[in-house]
Amino acid sequence: MNMEEKISGAIVRSYFKKLEENLAVDVAIVGAGPSGLVAARDLALKGFKVAVFESKLAPGGGTWGGGMLMNEVVVQNDGAEILHEFGITTVPVDDMYHTVDSVEMASGLIFGARKAGAVIFNAVKVEDIVIHNGVVCGVVINSNPVVHMGMHVDPIVIMTRALVDGTGHPSEIVNKAVNKAGVKIDSPTGGILGEKPMWMEDGERTTVENTKKLYPGLYASGMAANNVQGGFRMGPIFGGMFKSGRKVAKLIAEDLSR
Ligand code: 48F
């Protein structure tokens, strides 16, 4: 067999093995941002089968660019502790805050989630959800370039016991549940309240408080949770995102172990 055939064959077999093994998972996480990646690692370390679907080529979400493309971010002490578990270096600013190189943070979060056993499917867009008998139980996926180019190509489906909306500001998955499936979620209005403007301190606190189960099988983390419950945005401080990921992982682990 020539080298060309060998290399192509290895990629095709390896990819389809990975895809087939993940047609049904314990937890599907939509969005490989900081909250989704922390949740993915925590759940994978607990032994759950976790697949992360990220529409962009590079996972990491809003972590790469720091503040206004100055590639440093800030975390609080408890956020720094979570980063240290990933082996990511933080530099103390004072007795409360640390700076972090955003490239080290993004790559470290991705590597940590993957090394713990979570599988990341990049360039894959979740375009819809599956609901059976009042329970969210799957994601409808397509190649993101296909979606982006507007090609009329049908998707495939991944079934899951728990689904996390980690899509950040637009909360795309909860949007599908509320506006397409017409379900009432656990929020003050039963729908999506929409994110408020910048208030770092309040936004950091509510990101964690707003992380919850919204409907049977459906959870939200990070900015998606804040968008759903009407929380404030907070910009380039990330402790709340990590704690939100940790909280959603804990909620799901408890629910799936019942
Ligand atoms: O927005 P994002 O980084 O998620 P997060 O965990 O973190 C928010 C912070 O980065 C930042 C902030 C911190 O102060 O405010 O914004 O809430 O990442 C969300 C990821 O979801 C992907 C998107 O490309 C991004 O990488 N995504 C969004 N919609 C879809 C999706 C979709 N339909 N299918 C797959 N991936």
Side-chain angles (χ1 to χ4, degrees):
M1 190 189 285
N2 58 42
M3 189 174 170
E4 285 80 0
E5 204 179 335
K6 217 174 192 174
I7 302 293
S8 301
I11 289 172
V12 169
R13 279 187 294 275
S14 181
Y15 181 78
F16 282 104
K17 180 171 182 285
K18 184 160 65 180
L19 183 60
E20 189 168 20
E21 283 172 0
N22 285 280
L23 291 176
V25 295
D26 293 318
V27 188
I29 299 176
V30 190
S35 67
L37 290 169
V38 169
R41 178 176 178 272
D42 278 6
L43 285 158
L45 286 178
K46 287 183 205 288
F48 293 104
K49 189 195 264 197
V50 182
V52 182
F53 299 95
E54 168 53 54
S55 57
K56 296 207 175 101
L57 186 57
T63 54
W64 291 99
M68 211 183 88
L69 277 186
M70 293 174 273
N71 66 356
E72 293 282 323
V73 298
V74 176
V75 295
Q76 306 87 330
N77 288 332
D78 48 5
E81 279 171 23
I82 296 177
L83 290 183
H84 297 161
E85 292 174 27
F86 283 77
I88 297 167
T89 304
T90 67
V91 180
V93 176
D94 57 22
D95 59 352
M96 286 173 72
Y97 299 110
H98 304 236
T99 53
V100 190
D101 178 294
S102 66
V103 175
E104 179 173 342
M105 187 172 87
S107 54
L109 291 171
I110 298 163
F111 188 69
R114 180 67 197 108
K115 273 312 202 195
V119 175
I120 303 176
F121 292 96
N122 57 336
V124 171
K125 172 114 178 160
V126 174
E127 58 172 55
D128 210 341
I129 56 174
V130 185
I131 302 188
H132 287 175
N133 304 319
V135 180
V136 172
C137 57
V139 284
V140 177
I141 62 168
N142 214 328
S143 157
N144 197 30
V146 162
V147 177
H148 202 64
M149 291 176 76
M151 290 180 178
H152 192 166
V153 178
D154 271 322
I156 62 169
V157 176
I158 305 290
M159 297 304 280
T160 185
R161 298 170 68 203
L163 174 58
V164 179
D165 185 338
T167 64
H169 300 263
S171 64
E172 284 187 33
I173 305 309
V174 183
N175 243 304
K176 294 287 178 203
V178 171
N179 295 320
K180 192 167 184 190
V183 306
K184 286 221 175 311
I185 54 168
D186 180 7
S187 76
T189 59
I192 297 172
L193 277 78
E195 181 187 297
K196 294 204 185 86
M198 180 79 87
W199 181 0
M200 288 191 181
E201 199 166 349
D202 204 73
E204 278 294 282
R205 181 177 53 78
T206 59
T207 299
V208 184
E209 283 175 16
N210 290 337
T211 299
K212 54 165 86 167
K213 184 179 190 168
L214 298 169
Y215 186 78
L218 179 63
Y219 305 75
S221 68
M223 281 317 294
N226 251 358
N227 187 54
V228 169
Q229 309 289 348
F232 287 87
R233 67 182 300 200
M234 75 298 291
I237 175 138
F238 278 82
M241 294 301 137
F242 308 143
K243 289 200 286 179
S244 167
R246 180 142 286 178
K247 182 178 173 187
V248 86
K250 187 167 178 285
L251 293 174
I252 291 172
E254 285 165 5
D255 286 350
L256 296 190
S257 304
R258 274 182 225 280

